[in-house]
Amino acid sequence: MAAFHPSFEQLPPEIAVFPLSGALLLPGGRLPLNIFEPRYLAMTQDSLAAGRMFGMIQPEPGVPRGETGPGLYRIGCLGRLSSFAETEDGRLLITLTGVIRFRVAEELAMRRGYRRVRADYAGFEADLDLAEKPVGVDRATLLGALRPFFQARGIEANWEAIEQTSEEMLVLTLAMVCPFDVREKQALLVAATPEERAEMLVALLRIGAHPAPGSGDMSPDRRPS
């Protein structure tokens, strides 16, 4: 077990959640966040004081708002605060490292303005395994889908760094950073296996390289809720 990586028994049963459309955290991935709203500053400070973990989850499009905010997807990802810095203007710059997916078993009372849930990790135990996992898609296929997608989107890339990245980390990183819409991001999160996620990623890259006329930018509105 790597340092600071929790075992299944150490996972918190109750967690704060950060609802953010278009922000995908996957187990093993790293998500940089710029925290500035008072409620999420409070959430981050409380998390630093107790276990250094909170969950990322997306609001679900079309679900009515409730008393605590927009309706949420039922599956998110628990993250561990793996880096932390303060800014002179009162923001917190953090990196969240994905630990394990969870299901929302129950929403709890809010604390200091941020939302909390009871988390159910059953069925996601394999997320805690840090061993390298084959993704079932070869590098040539992945890059063959990625290059036209980046070209179509006008995205600059460090191809030398990409070539040196393992297939597993490449799939994780691309799934998290590529400008897919909210539903597509959620589908990548809930994929049952690394192979299924990689196949879905390749399909989304190929589709995204040829957007429908008038569809505009796929990038979602990444505002916290």
Side-chain angles (χ1 to χ4, degrees):
M1 184 68 67
F4 307 116
H5 189 70
S7 65
F8 192 81
E9 293 73 25
Q10 294 172 319
L11 296 173
E14 298 179 1
I15 61 173
V17 290
F18 189 178
L20 185 56
S21 294
L24 176 62
L25 178 65
L26 292 170
R30 291 177 176 267
L31 180 66
L33 292 168
N34 177 14
I35 308 295
F36 55 89
E37 284 193 43
R39 54 181 166 169
Y40 297 121
L41 289 169
M43 178 193 71
T44 303
Q45 291 161 354
D46 289 351
S47 297
L48 285 167
R52 296 196 295 132
M53 290 186 279
F54 62 84
M56 294 298 301
I57 196 163
Q58 292 195 112
E60 183 172 4
V63 174
R65 291 180 64 90
E67 293 182 0
T68 57
L72 303 176
Y73 277 110
R74 305 312 295 171
I75 295 178
C77 185
L78 181 69
R80 175 176 57 82
L81 279 154
S82 52
S83 73
F84 165 85
E86 301 175 350
T87 68
E88 292 296 329
D89 58 358
R91 294 174 293 119
L92 298 177
L93 305 178
I94 68 172
T95 298
L96 207 59
T97 296
V99 175
I100 185 173
R101 290 170 291 176
F102 65 87
R103 289 183 179 83
V104 176
E106 176 188 9
E107 185 152 3
L108 305 172
M110 298 177 76
R111 178 179 294 167
R112 297 223 282 166
Y114 61 84
R115 297 172 72 171
R116 301 166 58 246
V117 304
R118 193 178 311 281
D120 179 6
Y121 307 102
F124 298 124
E125 292 88 347
D127 289 350
L128 294 174
D129 182 3
L130 295 179
E132 188 170 342
K133 304 174 184 68
V135 296
V137 173
D138 62 75
R139 183 178 295 272
T141 299
L142 190 55
L143 295 184
L146 183 62
R147 289 182 186 277
F149 178 86
F150 277 6
Q151 184 175 8
R153 300 287 164 178
I155 298 172
E156 298 287 338
N158 183 340
W159 292 106
E160 183 178 350
I162 288 173
E163 290 283 0
Q164 295 173 356
T165 303
S166 70
E167 282 84 358
E168 180 189 14
M169 186 53 63
L170 195 54
V171 168
L172 282 178
T173 303
L174 291 174
M176 289 174 57
V177 305
C178 284
F180 302 130
D181 72 23
V182 170
R183 294 178 178 85
E184 291 165 342
K185 292 272 190 179
Q186 190 68 19
L188 288 164
L189 173 67
V190 303
T193 65
E195 293 88 348
E196 181 180 311
R197 180 175 295 124
E199 291 173 359
M200 187 181 303
L201 173 65
V202 169
L204 290 173
L205 290 172
R206 287 172 173 165
I207 293 169
H210 305 283
S215 62
D217 191 349
M218 292 170 62
S219 301
D221 181 3
R222 286 179 47 144
R223 288 177 295 182
S225 304

